[in-house]
Amino acid sequence: MFEQDSLLARLHEIAEDGVAIGLGFNQMGQPKEHLCTYDDAWQKHYWENELIFSDPVIAFGVNNLGAVRWSDVAAGGAANAVTIARDFGLTNGIVLSVQVDGERAIAGLATRSRPSEAAITEARIVLAALQASKSGEPQIILTQRQKEVLRLIADGASAEDTAHELEIDISTVNFHKREALKKNHLHAKNFTSLLASAIRAAVI
């Protein structure tokens, strides 16, 4: 529980105006767990007006894996949950959809300003760690150099930034990423889930 509280606290540092998270979505699009910390007035308006049926955050999360800004899914001009949320002071945010061990998590994070790429990357990793925390503890094995590489990337550094910080070539950074994923392929299907598992297991 402490670990999940810590992960939620990290998301709230990114999303100062609230989060809405669904964990463990099933085939019918229903989450096993739901958490929402948006303002009460917005939540009341959202549910009373059945905005879930015009919510591009939900639509993106169900149909895609990845992360985008609210402004990217609200395009098109038609009124929807994201555009209506502006009347309640929710103007910026991130849509996240990740899958860990076959379980999908979808989140809408309300930010005070336009979220940076680094914030989006960190939020995606933290959400994956939160979803992963619902299953058994992975045994993540990393060398010291792999830990250093993953730690920097988890903090939002690019491969180029990581190479500069560690004074190694970009090709070496990519080598360490590949080797870390290969070594832990039973616990992580892709690099994002490896980062999430490494954070959850406190190895980076």
Side-chain angles (χ1 to χ4, degrees):
M1 179 60 79
F2 173 77
E3 176 190 357
Q4 292 173 22
D5 290 344
S6 175
L7 292 169
L8 286 169
R10 286 179 72 178
L11 287 179
H12 278 106
E13 289 172 8
I14 298 167
E16 308 98 322
D17 289 337
V19 302
I21 303 170
L23 297 169
F25 275 82
N26 61 26
Q27 298 273 347
M28 302 298 292
Q30 298 294 319
K32 292 178 183 174
E33 294 183 46
H34 181 259
L35 167 74
C36 186
T37 63
Y38 290 146
D39 179 77
D40 289 342
W42 167 240
Q43 289 192 57
K44 184 173 186 285
H45 184 82
Y46 183 93
W47 292 111
E48 284 182 352
N49 292 278
E50 300 183 331
L51 293 179
I52 191 170
F53 298 113
S54 66
D55 191 341
V57 170
I58 299 293
F60 175 89
V62 168
N63 295 305
N64 304 276
L65 291 173
V68 294
R69 294 178 180 89
W70 283 2
S71 55
D72 296 327
V73 295
N80 58 51
V82 171
T83 58
I84 295 168
R86 294 173 187 155
D87 295 335
F88 292 80
L90 303 173
T91 57
N92 291 287
I94 308 168
V95 184
L96 302 166
S97 181
V98 300
Q99 192 154 316
V100 179
D101 296 330
E103 296 267 310
R104 183 170 297 207
I106 300 171
L109 310 182
T111 59
R112 298 244 167 101
S113 59
R114 179 180 165 82
S116 67
E117 289 299 326
I120 292 172
T121 298
E122 181 182 5
R124 187 176 178 188
I125 292 166
V126 174
L127 180 63
L130 188 60
Q131 177 61 63
S133 71
K134 302 298 179 179
S135 60
E137 283 294 322
Q139 297 299 312
I140 302 299
I141 301 169
L142 300 170
T143 66
Q144 184 57 38
R145 183 57 102 183
Q146 288 167 351
K147 289 178 183 180
E148 292 168 352
V149 168
L150 267 65
R151 189 178 300 119
L152 286 166
I153 293 171
D155 286 339
S158 65
E160 186 176 59
D161 295 335
T162 301
H164 179 74
E165 178 71 22
L166 298 177
E167 299 179 347
I168 57 178
D169 292 335
I170 293 178
S171 61
T172 305
V173 171
N174 291 329
F175 169 78
H176 286 306
K177 288 171 62 178
R178 284 194 307 272
E179 289 301 303
L181 186 56
K182 187 189 302 181
K183 187 185 299 183
N184 296 283
H185 72 279
L186 294 177
H187 306 298
K189 303 302 182 195
N190 55 50
F191 191 70
T192 298
S193 64
L194 175 60
L195 285 174
S197 296
I199 290 171
R200 182 164 66 102
V203 296
I204 62 170

